[in-house]
Amino acid sequence: MVTAPVRPGRAQDLRALLATMNSGPGMVDPHNALVPFGRFEDIHVARFVVAEDNTIADNDYFPGQLPPAERVLLIFLADCDGSADDLMARIVGEAGGGLRRIFAHCQGFDDNTELLTWMRAHQTPPTAVYVNWIGRTVRQVREEAALHDALHAVLHGPLAEAGARDEPRRLHQQLRAAIEASGPPLTSIEPRTICQWIMLVLKGIGLVLLGLILLPFIIVGAPFFLVALRRRETTDPVIPTRNNAARTRDIAVGEDRDVTNPFSAIGSLKPGFFRWAIAVVALRLVALSGIFVYHSGRLARVSTIHFARWVLLDGNRRVFFASNYDGSLESYMDDFINKVAFGLNLVFSNGVSYPETDYLVLRGAQREQQFKHYLHRRQVPTDVWYRAYPGLTTADLARNARIRKGLKRDDMSVDEIRRWLAEI
């Protein structure tokens, strides 16, 4: 993620330039003249966002504690396989001219700026990242999608006509033979190395030990923390501002062009060390859970997110949130409200104008309409959004992976083969 302040008065010009990368509302041309994302086979999703805070007036409720104005930021974000630094160097090498035209709208960038050095200097580390399935590459996704299509064509073509459907085991063998003969080719999936497993186990052990060391302090400090928390929860300003429905509709023009959508949002944290510390701890917990618990298809009970990222900006005053999710924004919000409202409260309740919570995790997002107003007001248009495999949901990716695994198996029972065939 590269972040840079936009020159005053240049935001509209920048948005107009970014719009030339799109073939239509919410639809990027993967071979556009500025940054042709389609050339880079290791990018899952990428976006450009001109992040202008729509809620800056809320800072007036905290006079002297939050600034009355914030910079407009240009954010360039990509979720990729392998080294981010290597990808950045290749993008600069192949799309340097387009990037220079884009970043020319940013402060501190001119004709003499060394592009790669500048981008590296403006990299912004995430506070938390979620990946739907750690280790699943763009190549794997595309190959498994092609495998599903090929199997479907054979199953509903020659084999259907041959009348083999009543013999599942023979049908499985015939499908395997058809793929071995005609493809598509499948690249071997690289498992974690022994060193990677050792590092993961050591991290887990280290976290357990750290938890045991901190446990006595947590027990002693918990009553003081709860008192301080309740004092703030009951005295924080209540900001009842509703979202602008017309603005929400304008943003929605670029949504639902595919089964998957982007969401970009920016807003201020409540002032003070206390709220900042809670936000950082909560986000670190999200990051750790994404590594050790929710690394294979689900974030808690929500399975529709491909990638998500939380980033602290501007001296930790503001948070930028980006996600890539299946379905509509309304269903996305409902999914979280109905399944993990406590998690929303834990992560987002330290933001200015969040619905009132009790003891950090109660109420808050359960006040459905207030929570939706909170999100809509912080949402900013995703000016450019690229996705390497349009038309595929997280459920499709998981199904295709199961189909690939089942194709290779020789030990499936007849019932297992029938379930495998049903997925094709």
Side-chain angles (χ1 to χ4, degrees), residues 221-241:
F224 301 97
F225 168 78
L226 292 175
V227 169
L229 175 65
R230 282 304 291 161
R231 184 167 63 247
R232 286 165 174 80
E233 288 181 329
T234 55
T235 59
D236 281 341
V238 176
I239 306 175
T241 309

Side-chain angles (χ1 to χ4, degrees), residues 317-336:
R317 290 193 310 273
R318 295 198 288 173
V319 177
F320 175 73
F321 172 65
S323 68
N324 308 268
Y325 64 93
D326 296 329
S328 69
L329 179 56
E330 193 71 17
S331 65
Y332 176 57
M333 292 189 291
D334 288 340
D335 215 16
F336 272 95

Side-chain angles (χ1 to χ4, degrees), residues 33-359:
L34 293 178
V35 185
F37 293 115
R39 290 186 193 173
F40 305 95
E41 296 186 352
D42 45 3
I43 295 179
H44 290 262
V45 288
R47 72 184 71 194
F48 280 99
V49 179
V50 181
E52 186 171 6
D53 194 340
N54 181 57
T55 63
I56 199 65
D58 293 353
N59 289 7
D60 295 342
Y61 286 83
F62 300 89
Q65 300 179 76
L66 290 175
E70 292 282 10
R71 305 174 300 174
V72 178
L73 300 175
L74 172 63
I75 294 171
F76 172 42
L77 170 61
D79 290 284
C80 65
D81 300 323
S83 165
D85 196 62
D86 289 347
L87 173 64
M88 187 183 298
R90 283 189 286 115
I91 291 178
V92 168
E94 296 191 35
L99 288 172
R100 296 192 74 89
R101 289 182 62 191
I102 293 169
F103 291 131
H105 296 77
C106 297
Q107 296 177 21
F109 191 95
D110 57 35
D111 292 341
N112 298 318
T113 301
E114 206 289 312
L115 178 58
L116 183 57
T117 301
W118 186 87
M119 289 181 67
R120 285 171 173 164
H122 286 79
Q123 281 199 84
T124 312
T127 308
V129 168
Y130 168 75
V131 178
N132 178 268
W133 195 287
I134 293 176
R136 180 181 286 157
T137 65
V138 176
R139 173 180 288 183
Q140 179 183 345
V141 169
R142 288 173 167 169
E143 289 181 349
E144 289 174 352
L147 173 65
H148 170 255
D149 291 343
L151 288 169
H152 182 86
V154 174
L155 183 61
H156 293 274
L159 293 187
E161 297 170 3
R165 288 182 172 233
D166 294 331
E167 300 180 37
R169 196 172 299 282
R170 183 162 68 92
L171 186 54
H172 178 265
Q173 294 169 350
Q174 291 174 326
L175 287 169
R176 179 189 291 178
I179 295 301
E180 290 174 351
S182 304
L186 297 173
T187 305
S188 298
I189 299 173
E190 295 183 9
R192 278 185 172 147
T193 65
I194 294 177
C195 289
Q196 288 172 328
W197 277 114
I198 291 173
M199 290 301 298
L200 188 65
V201 170
L202 290 177
K203 285 181 181 178
I205 293 173
L207 288 171
V208 171
L209 291 176
L210 179 62
L212 292 174
I213 292 170
L214 293 178
L215 184 60
F217 299 97
I218 293 172
I219 293 173
V220 172
F224 301 97
F225 168 78
L226 292 175
V227 169
L229 175 65
R230 282 304 291 161
R231 184 167 63 247
R232 286 165 174 80
E233 288 181 329
T234 55
T235 59
D236 281 341
V238 176
I239 306 175
T241 309
R242 298 169 63 90
N243 70 290
N244 184 317
R247 179 177 177 274
T248 299
R249 286 194 296 270
D250 288 343
I251 295 176
V253 169
E255 298 175 353
D256 293 336
R257 303 288 173 170
D258 184 41
V259 294
T260 304
N261 280 302
F263 183 82
S264 305
I266 191 169
S268 298
L269 286 176
K270 294 172 183 176
F273 173 82
F274 187 83
R275 285 295 190 177
W276 169 83
I278 295 176
V280 170
V281 170
L283 290 174
R284 294 300 185 197
L285 290 174
V286 170
L288 290 171
S289 68
I291 295 172
F292 292 101
V293 183
Y294 304 120
H295 51 72
S296 299
R298 290 181 180 273
L299 177 57
R301 294 165 57 203
V302 178
S303 61
T304 54
I305 302 174
H306 293 260
F307 297 90
R309 180 178 302 230
W310 294 259
V311 186
L312 291 174
L313 300 170
D314 297 321
N316 299 327
R317 290 193 310 273
R318 295 198 288 173
V319 177
F320 175 73
F321 172 65
S323 68
N324 308 268
Y325 64 93
D326 296 329
S328 69
L329 179 56
E330 193 71 17
S331 65
Y332 176 57
M333 292 189 291
D334 288 340
D335 215 16
F336 272 95
I337 292 170
N338 295 331
K339 295 177 179 178
V340 283
F342 73 92
L344 292 173
N345 295 342
L346 182 66
V347 173
F348 292 108
S349 66
N350 300 290
V352 170
S353 80
Y354 191 85
E356 296 170 86
T357 56
D358 292 336
Y359 298 102

Side-chain angles (χ1 to χ4, degrees), residues 168-169 172 409-421:
R169 196 172 299 282
H172 178 265
R409 286 183 58 187
D410 293 314
D411 59 344
M412 287 195 294
S413 67
V414 171
D415 285 342
E416 286 177 319
I417 294 174
R418 286 198 177 101
R419 288 194 293 269
W420 178 80
L421 291 170

